[in-house]
Amino acid sequence: MKLKAKLTVGIGFLFIVILVFGILGIVSITKLNGDADNILKNNYETLVYDNNMLKSLDELSFNKQALTDFETNLKKQESNITEYGEGDATKQLRYGFEGLKKNPIDTISFRQMRQAIQQINTLNQNAILRKHEAAQKAANSAIFWLTIIFSVLTIISFTLTINFPDVISTPVKALAKGITEIANKNYKNRIYLDQEDEFKELANAINTMAEKLDEYENSNLAKITFEKRRIETIINQMRDGIIGFDENKNILFLNVVSEKMLGLKEADISGQYAPDIALQNDLMRRLLKDEDQHELKIYADNKESYFNKDVLKVSNEGKVIGEVIVLRNITPFHELNEAKTNFIATVSHELKTPISSIKMSLQLLRSTTTGVLNEEQVLLIDSIKDDSNRLLKITGELLNMTQVETGNIQLNILSCSPYDILQYATEAVKVQADQKHITLALKAADALPSVKADKEKTAWVLINFLTNAIRYSPEKGEVTIEIYKKDNQVCFSVKDNGKGIEATYTSKIFNRYFQVPGTSKSGTGLGLAISKEFIEAQGGTIHLESKYGVGSNFYFYLMS
Ligand code: ADP
């Protein structure tokens, strides 16, 4: 039965209960009221007339009005004949009365009339008794039936009151439970109701929804699993090592390359806390600790390989949820770089000897021992000499660079006088300075302590500073060379009033092959990079202060 029908039946039943009770009550009371009215009208009034007529009969002898009163009551009686036999008695009363009117002293009529009144009285009294009994019976019967109906209706109402709430609450509870299961992602759960109503329809709709959600979840899961496998395959096919961590540094995954590098299997360490693994594994320790170290030399698979380490933070909605370490295999580039360095070293070395002999031959030619040269020939020889000097400088820088790149800087650190280094360098650039009419201003503090340095390399750096200062200074400019003590260090500074260096380039100035855009390409861009390596290899520091359009100050510190 539908819920609507159930509600209609329940409420309809209550309506019928009220209706039946109302009708029954009204009918019973109306009937009892009618019976009482009948008794009053039919019989009680007759008794009143009879009494009045008897009274008038008694007063006939002395009251003339009595006859008239009698007739009035007799007429009322004649129009209120209700009982069997009452009509005959009334006729007899009329007959006696008519006789009495003709002969007022007729005692027979008198007696007949009294008897007739007596009879009418008796008939009506009996009728009152009879009707009272009938009314009592009707009242009893009404009470009986009302009690029966009341009892039956009470039982039915009581049963409904007990059972009806369950008709609604039981399925509502089942539905609520089913919906909670769905909310908890238990899409396999179904709602079963043993009734054919709207609740059943709702339960069926919810079951269908759960079925669809189940299908969706399964298809989604399959899709996600497929995607996961695809990504795993891609990661495993890569030549780079990839290791994933969650935000708490637990290992999430590692590909085949990183398995080989670490010498560990993903299945064994997946989900483990990386620092715990690092306790037993050197490479993991380096990967976790050396955040800034980008190039790693790793011995794995019976060979040395070079990897570039990139740490990628994985974030979601602005929150870091893990990181991925990518170890890019740069061994082929390393090998190529090594080949290049070796090639440059060999070529530079091989060029040095012929350039030196060219220089020597030029000197012989210039000294006129081989004959007198004309003015034009002298100019040509000077030009060739300049070029071979430059070539020698370049090959020297390239050779130094190869030493730096291979890590083969040969240092000969001794305690040396800063004055000696200063003198050596200034003498080396004197000719250059003179050519441009540049004054070299020397400011050397007194009693400077000796420094722990490789004299040759330190002088090389100072010469490089001076050569640049002279090159980038205007004709007749001034270059100041200063040495002074600062704390337990000695500072060597070269200041010029040249064009200076723009602030955007100062951070790159010590990079290999860097030249400020717009600079003549005659140099290599290696001088300052080599200077930095030489000074730092000796435990010193190198710096630049420059103001574009004002001049530059290159300086370094060495331990005294
Ligand atoms: P190179 O002089 O051979 O090009 P360096 O490493 O010695 O290489 O210098 C790199 C660059 O720095 C130069 O090309 C030049 O642009 C800039 N530079 C160096 N010294 C100065 C200086 N004193 N004034 C202005 N620019 C300079």
Side-chain angles (χ1 to χ4, degrees), residues 418-420 422-423 441-448 480-485 491:
Y419 303 108
D420 286 353
L422 183 70
Q423 198 188 353
L442 303 182
K443 288 187 186 173
D446 292 332
L448 284 173
T480 311
I481 314 150
E482 208 177 343
I483 48 171
Y484 56 90
K485 189 172 182 274
C491 181

Side-chain angles (χ1 to χ4, degrees), residues 244-250 252 312-324:
F245 304 90
D246 68 10
E247 69 273 33
N248 300 319
K249 283 260 184 279
N250 294 317
L252 292 178
L312 313 172
K313 297 277 177 211
V314 184
S315 49
N316 185 27
E317 292 175 357
K319 196 179 158 229
V320 176
I321 55 165
E323 66 178 32
V324 175

Side-chain angles (χ1 to χ4, degrees), residues 464 468-469 471-472 496 501 509 514-516 519 523-528 552 554:
N464 188 53
N468 281 342
R471 193 190 296 170
Y472 300 112
D496 65 61
I501 297 162
I509 208 84
F514 178 79
Q515 290 184 306
V516 172
T519 317
T524 55
L526 284 172
L528 290 175
S552 308
F554 284 90

Side-chain angles (χ1 to χ4, degrees), residues 18-46:
I18 293 164
L19 200 70
V20 166
F21 252 76
I23 291 170
L24 265 176
I26 289 165
V27 166
S28 305
I29 289 163
T30 311
K31 192 168 176 296
L32 286 171
N33 192 34
D35 287 350
D37 268 2
N38 277 346
I39 292 169
L40 186 75
K41 195 169 172 292
N42 297 350
N43 306 106
Y44 175 74
E45 282 179 1
T46 300

